[in-house]
Amino acid sequence: MSESIIELVDLTKKYGSFTAVDQLNLTIRRGEVFGLLGPNGAGKSTTILMMLGLTEPTSGSVRVCQTNSAENPIAVKRRVGYLPEDVGFYPDRSGWDNLLFIAQLNGLSPKEAADRAEVLLKRVGLLEQANKKTGAYSRGMRQRLGLAEVLIKNPEVIILDEPTSGIDPKGVQEFLELIVQLSKEEGITVLFSSHNLHQVQQVCDRVGIFVRGKLIAEGDIHRLSQQLFANEPFTIYAEVTPKQTNQSAELAKRLQQIDGLISLQQDGLKFQLGCASNISEKIAETIVESGAGLQALYKREHGLDDIYNRYFQGGGDYA
Ligand SMILES: Nc1ncnc2c1ncn2[C@@H]1O[C@H](COP(=O)(O)OP(=O)(O)OP(=O)(O)O)[C@@H](O)[C@H]1O
């Protein structure tokens, strides 16, 4: 197992009597893409600010790249790149000028800065628009330039806070692909904070579900799914065309008698069957024997949206 690069131990942040982050324990390993997932106000940004040493924990500790962020924020800042939700640029200067300025602030010589800026603008797909003023950049272009700025100091970790909000679907896809590439090809650890389940599911190796300052679940999606849906690991979907009236009600009764069927939901001609094992064959047989037409039958693994919804079922506990 690779070394841990972010370690939070009993990390707590209070604003007066309000607890924004509540005894958080989390370890993120080098090279992982970790998704911090949670609704608005869950405490994601506060946790990120503590990782960066930009706000002090009330208690507990946070170490990033083996450095205590509260005690030595400058050392952490040198090794960690942070892309906030909205990056500020000089709007009447070009992308190239903005990037060069950041490179020089990070101590690169003019030659190093120019060389690195060219590599990074190419990497984020902005080389052709490098001379355009950033005031005329789209939201997607701004985020890609922001990523280039973050990468200029060769960080070991990048922290992205809602990086794709407001970008069009194609731009989102390109941005997500870039993140995966950075992680896989350059071994950069990525912390991706978002409330977009599908994006997190697409790029993250592991996720942490965060609600009201607490981490209520953590792990890879497959394992979380196994934990939560232990009794019904399979969901099988069937679509039928009844050939007689009332046939679908009759079919529902028959399906309910199949061994291994745990739950059945019906929406018109569509059935959703929670099953203890893969009983697709038996389901198909039952439908055909009932005389109804079988239009479609497919099995789906539980995804992050099922996991998230399951945690929020009965809401009061978590939401
Ligand atoms: N400086 C502050 N003073 C008082 N309360 C704060 C402060 N900063 C954050 N909070 C509160 O702490 C809670 C967590 O906020 P935080 O911004 O960390 O959540 P989040 O998960 O990042 O949400 P979002 O996705 O909306 O940014 C919220 O209830 C917020 O109102």
Side-chain angles (χ1 to χ4, degrees):
M1 192 188 288
S2 47
E3 64 173 304
S4 62
I5 196 156
I6 297 178
E7 286 174 300
L8 314 182
V9 179
D10 291 334
L11 188 67
T12 300
K13 177 72 184 180
K14 293 188 181 200
Y15 294 108
S17 60
F18 175 74
T19 307
V21 176
D22 197 0
Q23 298 203 303
L24 191 56
N25 288 288
L26 176 66
T27 299
I28 298 175
R29 294 187 287 270
R30 188 179 287 278
E32 268 193 305
V33 181
F34 189 92
L36 205 53
L37 188 64
N40 290 335
K44 304 181 297 293
S45 300
T46 306
T47 303
I48 289 173
L49 293 179
M50 287 192 280
M51 288 177 186
L52 295 165
L54 294 174
T55 187
E56 267 194 53
T58 308
S59 59
S61 70
V62 46
R63 292 176 74 79
V64 180
C65 303
Q66 284 76 48
T67 305
N68 185 310
S69 307
E71 288 168 5
N72 202 344
I74 293 175
V76 168
K77 200 163 173 260
R78 245 180 249 129
R79 298 165 75 179
V80 178
Y82 170 51
L83 184 68
E85 195 171 339
D86 225 336
V87 197
F89 301 107
Y90 294 105
D92 53 350
R93 308 287 293 272
S94 66
W96 175 262
D97 285 350
N98 271 278
L99 191 52
L100 233 54
F101 176 68
I102 295 292
Q104 288 178 5
L105 278 186
N106 277 282
L108 272 69
S109 70
K111 163 91 174 76
E112 282 171 331
D115 289 349
R116 187 127 179 87
E118 187 169 345
V119 169
L120 288 174
L121 285 167
K122 193 168 176 196
R123 171 120 234 190
V124 301
L126 277 183
L127 201 53
E128 282 174 20
Q129 289 106 329
N131 292 321
K132 203 170 176 174
K133 287 181 180 170
T134 58
Y137 275 18
S138 69
R139 164 95 187 140
M141 288 163 75
R142 293 171 64 80
Q143 286 306 88
R144 282 188 277 147
L145 183 62
L147 191 59
E149 282 194 359
V150 161
L151 293 171
I152 205 108
K153 60 182 169 189
N154 260 328
E156 291 171 51
V157 178
I158 54 177
I159 297 180
L160 312 171
D161 198 355
E162 297 285 355
T164 54
S165 63
I167 307 183
D168 64 59
K170 185 165 172 279
V172 167
Q173 208 48 43
E174 287 168 0
F175 193 86
L176 295 179
E177 280 164 18
L178 195 56
I179 289 171
V180 173
Q181 260 176 31
L182 286 170
S183 160
K184 302 295 170 242
E185 291 169 15
E186 298 182 25
I188 297 180
T189 309
V190 181
L191 180 72
F192 183 93
S193 165
S194 175
H195 51 246
N196 188 306
L197 300 169
H198 295 281
Q199 291 177 17
V200 168
Q201 175 156 335
Q202 209 178 323
V203 297
C204 296
D205 302 311
R206 281 197 308 145
V207 296
I209 299 181
F210 214 38
V211 184
R212 284 196 175 168
K214 283 187 187 290
L215 193 65
I216 58 168
E218 178 216 327
D220 64 67
I221 291 166
H222 184 66
R223 223 179 58 207
L224 283 178
S225 159
Q226 279 182 332
Q227 274 169 20
L228 274 176
F229 299 94
N231 295 331
E232 42 181 290
F234 294 97
T235 301
I236 296 169
Y237 295 86
E239 285 181 41
V240 300
T241 35
K243 306 224 163 99
Q244 300 151 24
T245 32
N246 280 339
Q247 200 170 28
S248 67
E250 176 57 30
L251 175 59
K253 272 192 210 149
R254 286 188 184 215
L255 288 169
Q256 253 151 356
Q257 282 158 17
I258 298 177
D259 261 1
L261 189 95
I262 310 284
S263 65
L264 181 146
Q265 287 176 47
Q266 185 180 359
D267 177 11
L269 302 175
K270 293 180 183 166
F271 292 88
Q272 182 181 325
L273 307 134
C275 310
S277 57
N278 185 2
I279 50 170
S280 310
E281 243 183 273
K282 190 71 199 155
I283 291 171
E285 242 173 64
T286 307
I287 294 171
V288 173
E289 278 170 10
S290 78
L294 179 58
Q295 288 296 311
L297 186 78
Y298 55 96
K299 178 167 74 76
R300 190 172 75 90
E301 270 217 68
H302 293 286
L304 198 47
D305 43 358
D306 301 311
I307 295 169
Y308 201 73
N309 288 335
R310 178 61 64 102
Y311 274 112
F312 286 91
Q313 263 174 20
D317 288 349
Y318 302 115

